[in-house]
Amino acid sequence: LMDGHRVIEFYGAKDSPIEKYLDIIRHSPVFPVVYDANGTVMSLPPLINSEHSKITLDTRNIFIEITATDFTKVGITLNILLTMFSGYCAEPFAVEPVEVIYPDGKSIVYPDLEPRTMHTTAKYLNGIVGIDQSSEEIVALLKKMSLEAAVENADKGEISVKLPPTRPDILQECDIAEDLAIAFGYNNIPRAANSEATVGVPLPLNKLDDIVRREIAMAGWTEALTLSLCSHDENFTFLRRTDNGNEAVVLLKPKSLEFQECRLSLLPGLLKCIRENKMHALPFKMFEVSDVVFKNPERPTGTQNQRRACALFSSSSAQFEVTSGLLDTLMTALNVPHRKQAGGYYLEAADIPTYLPGRSANVVRVAENGDKIILGSIGVIHPEILRNFELDYPVSSFEINIEPFL
């Protein structure tokens, strides 16, 4: 005999195909079980069904039980299974309802096969598809697609459409228009020139992105495109940073230790790029302009992307002046002079764990109103970080946020 906790331990073996479902109930105070009228266990949802409830070729009566964490998806799945199976019943399309009583006393009878009603207009459907059909003709075409449609108001062209339980894919009016196009025939839709000409323009951030890339590349640096996911160590430990739990966006079930979190910096990717290209001659002059991701509870998604530019130089000596010179070249291209007055930028000494003590600074921009904005940092990479990434030569780098230049 096994209690619920013993069942979790038994099926929690790493070679068990059921292991991936355990997290659904692992921390639940109670575990679900389904008995028949005689008290025999039929199922332990969402883990396993019993031998007692196994379906064979001789099975004639089927009890359908569905387990999920999404109530809407449960209803959709149940309705589709019932409508498909019911066609093979002794009395076609007849199913027996089941009353479900919840712990709070609420009672619901399943299934709910009532059709959903959606309202649309002939003008909208004709405009989407590109045809000119009357309300009555549209209704006839929709009926060909097994949609029960009717004209509600002929003068206004209003149409009501009853959606069967087998069509959960129809969510909006445009989905009805798609069925109308199929019924009308795509090849029968008259060809017409687009009456609304538009001109595409790049997003301001992407345009700035291209300017930064071009300027750094023209200075003789090689662009890299690294992965946006990294390990927890690469985000924090390898960079001598402490995880406060409020920055990194962590994947729920990472498939690999190398892809546990969204990167907080472009630096680890470039350092790994150098590590994998040690066979090439020095110096390494590499850069990347891309997004990092961090938590932001004020956003609807709870996360925020930030466009950054990162460059690093590696040779027999760090040559900080090379990296600093590139930063100054980039700022000149962006019309940001090296000064502490409004509209300029300057370096402010700072103790940053990623860099050598006394060889690091914040890159500070002075806004037109006099506010100071820390764009990022610059310095000589700490030797401990070089060991973490298995690098043999000194590295200097900078990484800045380019979004304030918009």
Side-chain angles (χ1 to χ4, degrees), residues 237-396:
T237 307
F238 286 4
L239 296 181
R240 306 180 74 242
R241 297 181 56 193
T242 302
D243 182 8
N244 59 15
N246 299 323
E247 294 182 278
V249 177
V250 182
L251 274 66
L252 180 61
K253 294 182 179 180
K255 295 297 183 181
S256 168
L257 293 177
E258 294 182 353
F259 308 117
Q260 296 174 306
E261 301 175 350
C262 296
R263 62 185 176 188
L264 293 170
S265 169
L266 302 179
L267 186 58
L270 291 178
L271 291 174
K272 288 193 294 183
C273 193
I274 291 180
R275 183 188 65 194
E276 302 303 324
N277 289 275
K278 289 182 179 180
M279 72 292 295
H280 296 289
L282 296 174
F284 289 101
K285 299 165 67 176
M286 307 191 69
F287 78 95
E288 181 175 7
V289 182
S290 193
D291 282 3
V292 298
V293 184
F294 54 88
K295 291 181 180 178
N296 185 348
E298 296 180 359
R299 294 291 185 93
T301 60
T303 64
Q304 179 178 346
N305 284 31
Q306 187 180 93
R307 190 67 54 85
R308 291 188 180 180
C310 180
L312 59 80
F313 178 90
S314 178
S315 187
S316 55
S317 61
Q319 298 186 37
F320 174 78
E321 66 276 8
V322 176
T323 308
S324 177
L326 177 65
L327 177 62
D328 197 50
T329 299
L330 177 59
M331 291 297 188
T332 301
L334 296 174
N335 197 27
V336 181
H338 194 292
R339 67 186 185 194
K340 292 188 176 182
Q341 288 79 28
Y345 91 99
Y346 64 94
L347 304 183
E348 183 178 64
D351 186 15
I352 303 173
T354 305
Y355 303 108
L356 274 172
R359 297 194 180 184
S360 60
N362 286 325
V363 181
V364 182
R365 185 193 180 197
V366 184
E368 295 297 335
N369 60 3
D371 292 342
K372 295 180 180 180
I373 305 171
I374 297 179
L375 300 177
S377 58
I378 185 171
V380 178
I381 300 296
H382 197 284
E384 182 182 336
I385 296 177
L386 300 182
R387 287 194 297 271
N388 292 336
F389 286 93
E390 303 174 14
L391 300 180
D392 304 322
Y393 295 97
V395 176
S396 62

Side-chain angles (χ1 to χ4, degrees), residues 117-126 133-139 142 148-161 173 176:
T117 302
M118 187 175 290
H119 301 277
T120 184
T121 63
K123 180 180 179 181
Y124 173 83
L125 296 178
N126 281 326
Q133 299 288 297
S134 66
S135 301
E136 291 74 13
E137 291 171 326
I138 290 176
V139 166
L142 291 178
E148 187 179 342
V151 178
E152 281 192 333
N153 188 322
D155 295 335
K156 296 182 178 180
E158 295 177 353
I159 299 172
S160 66
V161 183
E173 289 182 75
I176 299 177

Side-chain angles (χ1 to χ4, degrees), residues 44-56:
L44 292 175
L47 303 181
I48 193 170
N49 296 317
S50 70
E51 185 70 20
H52 173 68
S53 61
K54 184 177 181 179
I55 293 179
T56 68

